[in-house]
């Protein structure tokens, strides 16, 4: 925060007034598990973009079919996992284990260890799942320091990972079935349109993307390429023939 305040004091004041726990993952009271955005409605709107112009009945059927496919596919993926945790977690553990092999560990007591190596030297508390680097407490996945300390204590790496990343938890999240509405009687009601005046032109289905989003998709190019004017008389750029100040022949 001191770096932000030194660069932009107004921005630092705004972030502090907005409550640090709402935008900083370290100070968040809950567990966010590496989710890129907390606006789940935006993600759902993007998935349902193709069907938003359908009548309500077809839109609901599209949502049911989409969710049914998601649940079935993720349930099958969870059952087919050959490891105890998800693929992303296993990849992180493999990478961090290689870094942990280069570290030295000094025991403090049965649960606490002083680990030297990496970007900083840290004290690891395996009993409470904490490390001075802060990664272990936030991600609930052991960092390189925690892996080195756990290996020194004779613990298996899988015992240091929070159970929410396990294959069983992943399967339980998609264990429910989504059934089609077959044979169910729907009571008929007359629905009147909303008393809202619709604007002209075709309705927009997607939001305007920011310059940063567009630049990432286009290889970091600006959203709009400005035309370079060239004078037809002196062949210089930045002006046209009526504004040319060169002497006439």
């Amino acid at each position: 925060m001191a770096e932000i305040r030194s660069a932009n004091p107004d921005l630092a004041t705004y972030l502090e007034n907005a409550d640090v726990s709402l935008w900083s993952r370290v100070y968040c009271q809950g567990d966010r598990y590496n989710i890129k955005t907390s606006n789940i409605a935006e993600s759902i709107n993007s998935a349902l973009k193709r069907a938003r112009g359908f009548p309500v009945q077809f839109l609901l059927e599209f949502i049911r079919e989409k969710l049914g496919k998601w649940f079935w596919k993720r349930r099958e993926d969870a059952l087919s996992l050959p490891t105890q945790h998800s693929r992303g977690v296993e990849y992180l553990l493999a990478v961090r284990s290689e870094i942990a092999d280069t570290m030295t560990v000094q025991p403090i007591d049965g649960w606490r260890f002083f680990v030297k190596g990496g970007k900083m030297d840290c004290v690891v508390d395996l009993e409470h799942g904490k490390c001075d680097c802060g990664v272990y407490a936030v991600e609930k996945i052991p960092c390189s320091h925690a892996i080195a300390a756990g290996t020194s204590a004779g613990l298996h790496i899988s015992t240091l990972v929070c159970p929410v990343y396990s294959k069983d938890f992943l399967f339980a999240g998609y264990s429910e079935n989504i059934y089609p509405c077959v044979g169910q009687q729907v009571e008929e009601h007359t629905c009147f349109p909303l008393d809202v005046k619709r604007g002209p032109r075709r309705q927009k289905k997607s939001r305007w993307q920011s310059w940063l989003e567009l630049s990432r998709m286009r290889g970091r190019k600006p959203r709009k390429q400005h035309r370079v004017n060239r004078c037809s008389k002196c062949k210089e750029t930045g002006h046209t023939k009526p504004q040319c100040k060169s002497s006439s022949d």
Side-chain angles (χ1 to χ4, degrees):
M1 183 60 70
E3 296 180 3
I4 298 177
R5 184 170 297 279
S6 62
N8 193 329
D10 295 336
L11 176 60
T13 303
Y14 169 78
L15 292 176
E16 290 176 347
N17 295 334
D19 190 359
V20 181
S21 62
L22 297 179
W23 56 267
S24 176
R25 192 177 174 203
V26 176
Y27 294 97
C28 181
Q29 299 299 323
D31 298 323
R32 298 185 63 173
Y33 303 110
N34 253 353
I35 298 178
K36 293 182 178 180
T37 176
S38 57
N39 188 3
I40 190 64
E42 182 177 341
S43 302
I44 293 296
N45 287 337
S46 177
L48 304 180
K49 179 180 179 180
R50 189 168 63 88
R52 288 171 62 183
F54 294 173
V56 176
Q57 180 180 358
F58 293 97
L59 175 62
L60 294 177
E61 178 61 22
F62 182 87
I63 295 174
R64 185 208 63 79
E65 184 178 353
K66 176 73 72 173
L67 291 177
K69 290 181 179 179
W70 285 351
F71 271 59
W72 177 81
K73 184 179 184 302
R74 286 160 174 76
R75 190 163 54 235
E76 293 297 317
D77 290 343
L79 288 175
S80 62
L81 285 175
T83 56
Q84 186 176 352
H85 303 95
S86 62
R87 295 183 180 89
V89 174
E90 292 291 341
Y91 174 76
L92 282 178
L93 294 177
V95 173
R96 294 174 180 177
S97 296
E98 294 183 0
I99 302 176
D101 293 338
T102 63
M103 298 179 176
T104 58
V105 181
Q106 299 177 6
I108 300 176
D109 58 24
W111 292 102
R112 295 172 182 84
F113 300 84
F114 178 60
V115 182
K116 299 176 64 176
K119 295 183 178 180
M120 59 182 297
D121 299 339
C122 300
V123 175
V124 180
D125 187 350
L126 297 179
E127 182 180 9
H128 299 94
K130 294 181 180 179
C131 179
D132 288 347
C133 67
V135 175
Y136 194 9
V138 173
E139 293 185 352
K140 305 296 187 298
I141 303 174
C143 58
S144 301
H145 306 96
I147 293 176
T151 303
S152 177
L155 300 176
H156 196 272
I157 300 177
S158 60
T159 60
L160 304 176
V161 184
C162 184
V164 296
Y165 292 106
S166 65
K167 179 172 65 175
D168 296 335
F169 269 73
L170 180 60
F171 176 80
Y174 300 99
S175 59
E176 298 294 333
N177 296 322
I178 300 178
Y179 297 96
C181 298
V182 178
Q184 298 183 6
Q185 298 295 329
V186 179
E187 186 177 354
E188 295 185 2
H189 287 281
T190 302
C191 298
F192 296 97
L194 299 176
D195 189 14
V196 178
K197 185 178 180 180
R198 182 174 178 177
R201 301 186 183 90
R202 181 184 300 175
Q203 297 299 305
K204 185 170 69 72
K205 288 187 176 182
S206 59
R207 61 177 177 82
W208 291 104
Q209 293 180 328
S210 64
W211 178 89
L212 180 60
E213 293 173 313
L214 291 175
S215 64
R216 287 175 176 173
M217 290 189 300
R218 298 177 182 178
R220 300 186 179 276
K221 295 181 180 179
R223 177 172 57 180
K224 181 179 179 180
Q225 297 287 347
H226 296 282
R227 182 179 178 181
V228 179
N229 296 321
R230 183 182 297 273
C231 178
S232 60
K233 185 177 182 181
C234 64
K235 308 303 180 182
E236 296 292 335
T237 59
H239 66 276
T240 55
K241 184 177 181 179
Q243 291 84 30
C244 184
K245 298 180 180 180
S246 62
S247 57
S248 58
D249 295 336

